[in-house]
Amino acid sequence: MFQEKPGVYKYQNQINDIFSKGDNALLIFYEDLLTFDFQLADMLKNDPVSLLEDAIDAFKNILKFQSGKLNIQDYFVRITTKDDQSPLSIPLRRLRAKNIDKLIWSKGILIRSSTIRPKLMNATFECMVCGSQFQVLQLTSRIKWPQFCVNNRCKAKTQSDFRLISKNSEFIDWQSIVIQEIPEDLPAGRIPRSIQAILTYDLVDTVKPGDRIKIMGIFKSVLAQSTKSINSNIFRTFVDVTFIDPEDKSEGDMDLSKEEIKKIEEKSKEPFIQKKIARSIAPTIYGRDDLKMACALSLFSGTRRKKPGGNYKRGDIHILFVGDPGTGKSEILKSTIDVSPRGLYTSGKGASAVGLTAAVIKDTETGQMNLEAGAIVLANGGIAAIDEFDKMDTADRSALHEAMEQQSYHYNTEILTTNGERIVIGKFIDDFIATNKSKVIQGKNCEILPFNNLEIYSTNFNKIYKTKINRISRHEAPSCFYKLTFTNGRSINITPEHPIFVFNKGKLRCKNAEKCSINEFIPVPKYLPNSSKIIKLRKNENIQHILFKEVVFPEDLTPKLSRILGYFITNKLSNEGSGPEFYYSNKDNLVVEEFNRLIFELFNISPSKKERNDGLIRLNYISIELCNWMKTNFPEIMIISKSKRIPSKVLGCDVENAREFLISAFKSDGYINSTSACIKAASKGLSNDYQDLLLKLGIHSYIVLDKRNDLYKVYIRGQSIIKFCDEIFEKNDHGNEEINNLINLNLKKHIVLKFYLLL
């Protein structure tokens, strides 16, 4: 038994603490192992997998002897070292084939991290033929399916004969990170090298991009699995991490000797010590005392203080040098970086928002999106110097200003993505930040998270185009919000300082929301861009049901299907409960017949028909396949009417599908009189969807709440009546006389308006 000092059993005491606290990891120093048994230490270095398994078994046996049982399923023995010159220590640059499957100790900067994903360790499968359940141990990176059933009488042999039972399978947490060489350890003129590392179990999410870390792990190699290297004999390498040690830059962990502390205290009492510190920066440059003092103050920084109201006042000091070329600005910056324990220098000429903050990189092997830290993140806790700041693009420079901005939307604001999905911005950001806490960048009273997996509409006031967002942020709420209501019936809640573009005196001007006034003209979109992307639909899973009927479903969203969906959106209830029955009802016999014809042509299903005394015709359909397929692809319409929304697949589709959807929706729930044309909606959200979908056809509208009937009405604006009639109104629709009168009325108004503008 190892004794640190005579009578002091270091690891026995540690195991006692683990037992009393309910922990599950034992930390062993490699130096202690060398002292105790050199041969055992050498075996651990060369065959770490089997030796660590033996160590865990011994650890569990001791705990079991002490308590009589094990309360935790997973126990670990972690090996670490406190000596940078340890036999296990190998720089990332010197990792070679001879180190494969051996224990190594290395250090670097974490530049990229993936999301935490479950990894299957022990899979439970169920035979679809006989119902037997059994387990298959997963030893490789690809899932291993059973090749036969454990029941000797069962003939199941193919993969489709078995299904994975997730709730009975064993999963562990898994995360991939990329570690890069530390800049100060780089040989002159060399590019930093990096290596992938894998974190599992409780090691995941313990570090974030920008952290300087030390890792203990097993250097492994696997066959590169890609389409270009199927038969290649070149392997890729990674580190299976067994212990990770993030560097802590707090004052308490700084390695200062007593002599150094005494010397610092003596220097602090000297007169003009501030000037001495400033002049020690770039001593080869004469003068420039103001610049040097600014750098010194930035190195020491301030103190982050909490205000009485709960907000924080940042302690970081930002400086900007402006001056003639060749006056020593760059050299002073570089000298400051050399002094800083964690500093990075970059030039604005080649810097981008991605390179400065963070980038989301797609992993070529797994296809997942990983976060890679930029210069600002890597310099966190130190100094980031950006030379030639004026050479940066405006968009890239704005990425650095985000931490000082407070321009944000209200939590409940809903945004429309280019693929038709509606996102409540508050919940979306809360959920995403909650699952990526380690990657959040702390700004001034806000949290910033780089993100580029979302595309929205934007404008330069010449055209509307699709663009990807590059980051999301969550700000402390101000004392009040401003609600702006527009003549189209829409409104937004925003912070007082949020910028709003206002059309004033023939020009677009930008002002804060708090400075806007009633009757100001604020531009809104005249149209939404068309999408040429084919909308793919998901297939049903295999269903075993007594009412199962085989139905052939379209693979893509088609105009005929869009017209059916338009009828569905107006129905009070499309699906009753959780059963396989859905129905459609309307008093217009022509509309009912058309719906029935479309369903039969597309799905080959016939209904039962009922007619009430008031003339309401109801078509009942029974098809478990169709119900599940509709819920899978269009869940927004298979619910009660008050909660219905236009399916995201329709909002993201092309003009032809949007037109067909609106035609049937108007047939079923629209009307025309001598003064207006409108579509009724059961909720505010649905009325917004109608308005957005009409914009795909260039048709303008406004929303009015009908309080008497508790519904919303989307009215077509006068300038769009003719276009609405050409695109949406069909000749066999009711109200031909009313539509002609409405067109003539709006033509007269349009002519009068032109004369008004002329005069």
Side-chain angles (χ1 to χ4, degrees):
M1 192 174 290
F2 177 77
Q3 298 183 52
E4 188 175 24
K5 297 177 181 178
V8 178
Y9 299 98
K10 177 178 179 179
Y11 294 107
Q12 183 59 50
N13 295 336
Q14 188 178 337
I15 291 173
N16 292 336
D17 290 340
I18 292 171
F19 171 69
S20 61
K21 295 177 182 178
D23 291 339
N24 65 339
L26 176 65
L27 190 63
I28 297 177
F29 284 93
Y30 190 71
E31 291 77 16
D32 294 339
L33 198 59
L34 283 170
T35 304
F36 181 71
D37 190 331
F38 177 81
Q39 187 176 3
L40 183 62
D42 189 60
M43 290 173 62
L44 176 65
K45 177 183 176 182
N46 294 304
D47 187 16
V49 175
S50 60
L51 265 292
L52 285 174
E53 288 178 355
D54 293 340
I56 292 172
D57 289 339
F59 176 39
K60 290 166 71 173
N61 287 334
I62 294 174
L63 286 175
K64 193 172 182 179
F65 176 76
Q66 290 184 348
S67 62
K69 63 177 182 178
L70 298 177
N71 298 323
I72 305 173
Q73 183 178 2
D74 299 315
Y75 287 88
F76 308 97
V77 173
R78 311 281 191 200
I79 307 297
T80 185
T81 180
K82 48 192 173 183
D83 184 8
D84 289 337
Q85 304 301 320
S86 168
L88 301 177
S89 181
I90 302 177
L92 296 180
R93 184 173 290 271
R94 289 174 53 193
L95 286 172
R96 299 291 185 268
K98 64 181 180 181
N99 303 119
I100 291 175
D101 291 329
K102 294 184 179 180
L103 196 65
I104 64 162
W105 171 258
S106 194
K107 63 180 179 179
I109 299 178
L110 176 59
I111 63 169
R112 190 188 308 170
S113 65
S114 72
T115 55
I116 300 172
R117 304 172 70 184
K119 180 181 179 182
L120 184 62
M121 299 298 290
N122 199 358
T124 300
F125 292 98
E126 181 182 46
C127 178
M128 302 292 287
V129 178
C130 67
S132 300
Q133 288 192 11
F134 52 93
Q135 293 185 332
V136 177
L137 193 63
Q138 305 295 314
L139 300 175
T140 63
S141 58
R142 290 190 174 184
I143 185 171
K144 182 181 179 181
W145 289 83
Q147 297 179 350
F148 54 86
C149 183
V150 293
N151 185 354
N152 296 331
R153 297 181 180 180
C154 183
K155 297 181 179 181
K157 292 182 179 180
T158 62
Q159 180 176 320
S160 59
D161 292 332
F162 305 96
R163 72 184 182 101
L164 178 67
I165 309 297
S166 300
K167 65 178 182 179
N168 295 336
S169 300
E170 181 185 345
F171 292 88
I172 65 169
D173 292 326
W174 180 96
Q175 186 180 29
S176 172
I177 62 175
V178 176
I179 303 169
Q180 189 180 84
E181 287 181 287
I182 297 174
E184 50 264 33
D185 292 346
L186 278 179
R190 297 294 185 90
I191 297 174
R193 294 181 182 176
S194 59
I195 191 170
Q196 182 188 21
I198 303 299
L199 307 180
T200 54
Y201 294 100
D202 57 341
L203 296 181
V204 301
D205 216 20
T206 54
V207 288
K208 61 183 182 297
D211 286 350
R212 296 191 175 205
I213 61 174
K214 296 177 181 178
I215 59 170
M216 182 75 76
I218 304 168
F219 187 55
K220 294 185 176 182
S221 66
V222 292
L223 182 64
Q225 297 174 347
S226 67
T227 55
K228 296 181 181 179
S229 58
I230 295 176
N231 297 318
S232 174
N233 60 353
I234 304 299
F235 282 54
R236 67 178 181 87
T237 58
F238 67 95
V239 179
D240 187 3
V241 179
T242 59
F243 177 76
I244 190 165
D245 180 21
E247 287 190 11
D248 190 354
K249 290 294 180 182
S250 62
E251 294 179 2
D253 290 337
M254 292 180 66
D255 295 328
L256 295 175
S257 63
K258 293 182 179 179
E259 292 76 13
E260 288 173 328
I261 294 173
K262 185 178 180 180
K263 195 171 184 180
I264 290 171
E265 290 175 346
E266 290 175 354
K267 288 284 184 183
S268 67
K269 298 174 183 177
E270 292 183 9
F272 307 110
I273 184 61
Q274 296 93 338
K275 290 185 177 180
K276 289 183 179 180
I277 292 172
R279 288 173 181 173
S280 66
I281 298 173
T284 56
I285 296 177
Y286 178 75
R288 301 292 177 193
D289 291 339
D290 290 342
L291 302 188
K292 294 180 180 181
M293 180 60 75
C295 288
L297 292 172
S298 185
L299 281 168
F300 279 85
S301 188
T303 303
R304 189 169 185 256
R305 298 185 183 278
K306 189 173 184 179
K307 296 180 180 179
N311 297 335
Y312 284 91
K313 186 174 183 180
R314 65 179 173 87
D316 301 326
I317 299 174
H318 302 155
I319 59 175
L320 175 68
F321 291 169
V322 181
D324 295 329
T327 54
K329 300 188 300 298
S330 298
E331 291 303 317
I332 293 174
L333 283 177
K334 290 177 180 177
S335 178
T336 306
I337 294 301
D338 292 338
V339 174
S340 173
R342 190 171 184 175
L344 279 175
Y345 175 88
T346 185
S347 174
K349 289 181 179 179
S352 66
V354 168
L356 290 171
T357 54
V360 179
I361 308 297
K362 186 173 183 179
D363 194 316
T364 56
E365 296 175 1
T366 63
Q368 69 178 5
M369 307 304 288
N370 297 335
L371 190 71
E372 182 167 318
I376 301 300
V377 181
L378 295 178
N380 183 33
I383 299 292
I386 305 172
D387 205 359
E388 305 290 348
F389 195 69
D390 59 314
K391 303 298 190 298
M392 294 176 62
D393 291 339
T394 304
D396 298 330
R397 200 158 52 233
S398 68
L400 301 178
H401 297 159
E402 177 69 29
M404 295 177 282
E405 295 177 356
Q406 290 291 331
Q407 302 167 359
S408 56
Y409 290 93
H410 189 270
Y411 185 92
N412 294 327
T413 301
E414 189 178 80
I415 59 175
L416 177 68
T417 64
T418 57
N419 64 358
E421 291 184 10
R422 293 158 297 255
I423 294 174
V424 178
I425 194 169
K427 185 178 185 305
F428 170 74
I429 292 178
D430 279 353
D431 291 346
F432 199 78
I433 288 180
T435 55
N436 296 273
K437 287 183 179 179
S438 61
K439 302 163 189 148
V440 172
I441 303 169
Q442 295 295 331
K444 180 183 178 182
N445 299 332
C446 70
E447 296 171 311
I448 307 163
L449 188 60
F451 180 77
N452 71 348
N453 200 23
L454 188 67
E455 196 176 52
I456 60 174
Y457 293 111
S458 187
T459 182
N460 56 8
F461 297 107
N462 291 320
K463 65 176 182 178
I464 297 172
Y465 55 91
K466 300 175 182 179
T467 183
K468 280 194 173 183
I469 65 172
N470 56 25
R471 61 193 181 276
I472 59 176
S473 60
R474 180 169 62 185
H475 301 255
E476 287 189 6
S479 58
C480 66
F481 281 85
Y482 278 70
K483 182 178 182 179
L484 303 186
T485 302
F486 307 101
T487 53
N488 64 357
R490 304 285 277 268
S491 62
I492 55 171
N493 295 331
I494 48 180
T495 53
E497 60 274 6
H498 197 285
I500 298 292
F501 285 94
V502 177
F503 193 77
N504 188 11
K505 296 181 180 179
K507 293 183 179 180
L508 274 174
R509 305 175 189 275
C510 184
K511 59 168 64 176
N512 290 349
E514 61 187 353
K515 296 181 180 179
C516 290
S517 56
I518 297 174
N519 295 327
E520 284 193 306
F521 289 96
I522 297 175
V524 296
K526 294 177 65 176
Y527 69 96
L528 288 181
N530 185 25
S531 173
S532 58
K533 184 180 178 182
I534 297 174
I535 306 297
K536 293 290 184 182
L537 303 177
R538 294 169 57 189
K539 296 181 180 179
N540 268 349
E541 296 181 359
N542 292 330
I543 300 173
Q544 302 296 328
H545 196 278
I546 192 172
L547 298 176
F548 174 83
K549 294 179 182 179
E550 187 171 352
V551 181
V552 179
F553 298 107
E555 296 180 354
D556 310 321
L557 183 65
T558 62
K560 185 178 289 187
L561 177 57
S562 294
R563 185 170 281 218
I564 291 175
L565 295 174
Y567 284 125
F568 264 84
I569 197 74
T570 60
N571 217 30
K572 289 185 177 179
L573 187 65
S574 299
N575 175 244
E576 293 183 315
S578 58
E581 180 183 359
F582 70 93
Y583 73 88
Y584 177 77
S585 59
N586 200 290
K587 290 185 177 182
D588 191 329
N589 190 54
L590 292 176
V591 171
V592 173
E593 287 179 0
E594 183 183 51
F595 179 81
N596 188 26
R597 176 181 58 81
L598 291 170
I599 290 287
F600 183 81
E601 290 176 356
L602 198 59
F603 304 110
N604 195 26
I605 297 176
S606 298
S608 61
K609 185 176 179 180
K610 295 180 181 179
E611 185 172 355
R612 293 193 324 204
N613 294 333
D614 60 354
L616 183 73
I617 305 169
R618 171 168 164 156
L619 303 178
N620 282 64
Y621 296 86
I622 298 178
S623 173
I624 184 66
E625 275 284 277
L626 183 55
C627 278
N628 284 328
W629 184 79
M630 291 290 290
K631 289 177 181 178
T632 298
N633 289 286
F634 311 107
E636 301 96 331
I637 61 176
M638 301 298 288
I639 50 180
I640 60 173
S641 56
K642 280 290 183 182
S643 303
K644 283 187 180 182
R645 302 295 295 268
I646 293 180
S648 59
K649 291 182 172 63
V650 175
L651 286 172
C653 70
D654 57 19
V655 169
E656 187 178 1
N657 279 291
R659 183 188 298 112
E660 292 296 318
F661 182 94
L662 289 167
I663 286 173
S664 55
F666 180 73
K667 280 176 179 286
S668 191
D669 236 355
Y671 71 86
I672 291 178
N673 56 31
S674 59
T675 59
S676 61
C678 87
I679 305 176
K680 294 179 287 185
S683 66
K684 177 67 173 175
L686 182 56
S687 67
N688 292 343
D689 293 347
Y690 275 133
Q691 193 172 63
D692 292 338
L693 197 60
L694 285 165
L695 283 177
K696 274 189 174 285
L697 305 179
I699 298 173
H700 301 165
S701 60
Y702 62 97
I703 301 169
V704 174
L705 171 61
D706 184 352
K707 294 183 179 179
R708 182 177 179 182
N709 297 307
D710 190 26
L711 52 83
Y712 291 83
K713 294 182 178 179
V714 183
Y715 286 92
I716 308 303
R717 287 193 178 275
Q719 67 267 29
S720 295
I721 284 292
I722 296 177
K723 191 171 182 65
F724 175 81
C725 295
D726 292 340
E727 298 280 359
I728 307 300
F729 191 83
E730 293 189 331
K731 292 182 180 179
N732 61 345
D733 289 346
H734 299 296
N736 275 299
E737 184 177 350
E738 287 84 358
I739 199 69
N740 289 328
N741 294 335
L742 187 59
I743 290 173
N744 292 331
L745 176 64
N746 281 280
L747 281 173
K748 290 179 182 178
K749 288 182 178 179
H750 190 58
I751 293 171
V752 171
L753 180 60
K754 280 192 173 182
F755 273 107
Y756 177 82
L757 294 174
L758 177 65
L759 299 173

